[in-house]
Amino acid sequence: MAIHVWDHRREYENEREDILDAVDTVFRSDQLILGESVRSFEEEFARYNGVTHCVGVDNGTNAVKLALQALGVGPGDEVITVSNTAAPTVLAIDGVGATPVFVDVEPDTYLMDTGKVAAAITDRTKCLVPVHLYGQCVDLAPLQRLAATHGLKLLEDCAQAHGAHAKNGRLAGATGDAGAFSFYPTKVLGAYGDAGAVITSDDEAEEKLRRLRRYGMEELYYVVSTPGHNSRLDEVHAEILRRKLRRLDDYIAGRRALAQRYAEGLEDTELVLPQVAPGNDHVYYVYVVRHPERDEILKALREFDFHFNISYPWPVHTMTGFAHLGWGPGDLPVTEAAAKEIFSLPMYPSLPVDIQDKVIIALRKILSRG
């Protein structure tokens, strides 16, 4: 039986009755767009994260893009972020006409190296976008100090860190001017298709976000005050997310239990296992390990019919689609070295322990050959 890094089917079977009831609830309602399910999810997700507002949007990429626009980022501005991220983070920055500026990551956690940010700030810098990667948060205190000193906005990319606490004790997305989330199906809190949201306690940003996701219109339909987008969160996904939000802490507990089993089963191997930054907790969106012979290990795993992911094999700054930014191989050595050695093991709450044990046994067998 093929084993993949993620599979939603067991979770769906466990939650099928509730998921189908969520769909039926929406289909029987009198409003299919921006109705009660979206409003309720926004209120509940804001409350969960300890912020004032949540604005649901159509996907995580647009969550970052609209948040940038709501914070006043646009053409001529620079935005400091990382290259060790999914391309949508950078596509959103490029999409508002701003210029992404990259800093390297820490070698143990692969999170933004906040000690390198100050040197990257110029008179064009408008916003800092730390990416809370793999399930844990960037240390936000240094970024808050820099933002205050230089008059910058702080936007947290939380697509991989639902429910993770930062060192300051606050949940991902609750410290900066705004936090952008993806609810892509693989996420810690995932819908059954594309969905996203922005959380904030900034009233002005919230008002702008609500206009931007709906063409730029005010309450009066067809009156556009600022050109916006068609980026509304779908009612069906919102209702499903409402139901799943009630189980989010259970999902996280399940992921942590699986992570502990991996740690115990692989601790005496040559794999470099995930490191949790001091003061953080980790929700293990993905379980990323490292080995200098990564490609050979993945090839051997395929012989067992195991098919795992690499997050991420190509740093954004080396992609041809971003060649116009002027970055290239050698510019971010820590990021580039990690990209050659990291890979992800299966990680989702409904992963059966017998399947996880097969992964551990296969890895131990492959590693012992060396």
Side-chain angles (χ1 to χ4, degrees):
M1 181 183 69
I3 296 175
H4 297 273
V5 74
W6 177 77
D7 190 331
H8 77 282
R9 290 171 293 183
R10 186 178 295 269
E11 178 186 283
Y12 175 67
E13 289 303 321
N14 292 339
E15 301 180 1
R16 182 174 182 272
E17 184 175 340
D18 194 32
I19 298 303
L20 294 181
D21 182 68
V23 174
D24 189 61
T25 295
V26 173
F27 286 177
R28 290 179 182 275
S29 72
D30 63 353
Q31 192 169 359
L32 299 179
I33 302 293
L34 294 183
E36 183 59 33
S37 293
V38 168
R39 285 191 293 272
S40 295
F41 173 71
E42 289 174 338
E43 292 172 1
E44 292 159 13
F45 195 61
R47 184 164 55 250
Y48 178 91
N49 287 289
V51 298
T52 307
H53 308 293
C54 170
V55 179
V57 297
D58 54 344
N59 58 63
T61 308
N62 282 337
V64 178
K65 183 177 179 180
L66 271 63
L68 288 168
Q69 288 185 281
L71 296 175
V73 179
D77 294 329
E78 292 179 349
V79 176
I80 297 175
T81 191
V82 292
S83 179
N84 184 37
T85 183
T89 304
V90 183
L91 286 167
I93 297 169
D94 186 73
V96 301
T99 300
V101 175
F102 301 110
V103 296
D104 218 337
V105 297
E106 296 175 341
D108 51 352
T109 63
Y110 317 118
L111 297 169
M112 174 184 275
D113 186 339
T114 58
K116 297 185 181 300
V117 174
I121 294 174
T122 71
D123 58 3
R124 294 176 59 196
T125 306
K126 186 65 174 288
C127 187
L128 309 178
V129 180
V131 178
H132 300 320
L133 198 70
Y134 303 151
Q136 67 174 324
C137 295
V138 175
D139 184 3
L140 295 170
L143 302 181
Q144 285 181 285
R145 290 193 291 269
L146 289 170
T149 299
H150 297 277
L152 308 177
K153 296 296 185 180
L154 178 59
L155 170 61
E156 302 173 56
D157 184 335
C158 310
Q160 301 186 13
H162 312 69
H165 288 87
K167 290 183 181 180
N168 61 10
R170 304 199 72 187
L171 287 170
T175 297
D177 294 285
F181 288 82
S182 167
F183 302 118
Y184 188 74
T186 62
K187 303 301 185 182
V188 180
L189 178 61
Y192 278 73
D194 276 317
V198 182
I199 62 172
T200 183
S201 291
D202 183 324
D203 295 344
E204 183 179 354
E206 184 247 356
E207 291 176 4
K208 290 179 179 178
L209 283 162
R210 294 198 183 280
R211 288 197 299 270
L212 287 167
R213 75 168 177 188
R214 186 172 175 263
Y215 312 113
M217 293 178 180
E218 300 286 353
E219 288 300 316
L220 186 62
Y221 196 46
Y222 291 127
V223 177
V224 173
S225 59
T226 303
H229 312 271
N230 180 7
S231 298
R232 300 167 296 206
L233 175 60
D234 181 82
E235 276 287 288
V236 170
H237 291 315
E239 186 61 32
I240 291 172
L241 287 166
R242 286 190 69 202
R243 312 295 182 95
K244 296 187 73 176
L245 178 59
R246 300 164 191 163
R247 298 187 283 271
L248 177 54
D249 290 341
D250 292 334
Y251 297 153
I252 292 171
R255 289 174 179 272
R256 287 176 175 155
L258 291 168
Q260 182 63 31
R261 295 189 84 255
Y262 275 134
E264 293 170 357
L266 298 169
E267 64 180 343
D268 58 345
T269 70
E270 296 178 349
L271 286 175
V272 177
L273 303 181
Q275 302 296 305
V276 182
N280 269 3
D281 61 15
H282 205 309
V283 298
Y284 296 100
Y285 165 59
V286 284
Y287 192 88
V288 174
V289 298
R290 184 169 184 169
H291 195 283
E293 298 179 5
R294 186 266 313 278
D295 292 344
E296 290 76 12
I297 292 171
L298 290 178
K299 182 179 178 181
L301 283 166
R302 285 192 289 273
E303 296 175 6
F304 290 88
D305 209 11
F306 294 175
H307 306 274
F308 299 165
N309 288 355
I310 302 171
S311 300
Y312 298 93
W314 301 287
V316 175
H317 74 284
T318 66
M319 296 179 182
T320 56
F322 297 104
H324 63 284
L325 299 176
W327 297 75
D331 288 336
L332 300 172
V334 180
T335 296
E336 294 165 36
K340 294 181 175 66
E341 298 182 354
I342 57 177
F343 63 104
S344 303
L345 306 186
M347 174 56 74
Y348 50 96
S350 57
L351 176 68
V353 294
D354 62 318
I355 299 298
Q356 186 184 27
D357 287 341
K358 289 180 181 179
V359 172
I360 293 170
I361 291 167
L363 279 168
R364 294 185 67 87
K365 182 175 182 180
I366 291 165
L367 292 165
S368 69
R369 297 174 186 172

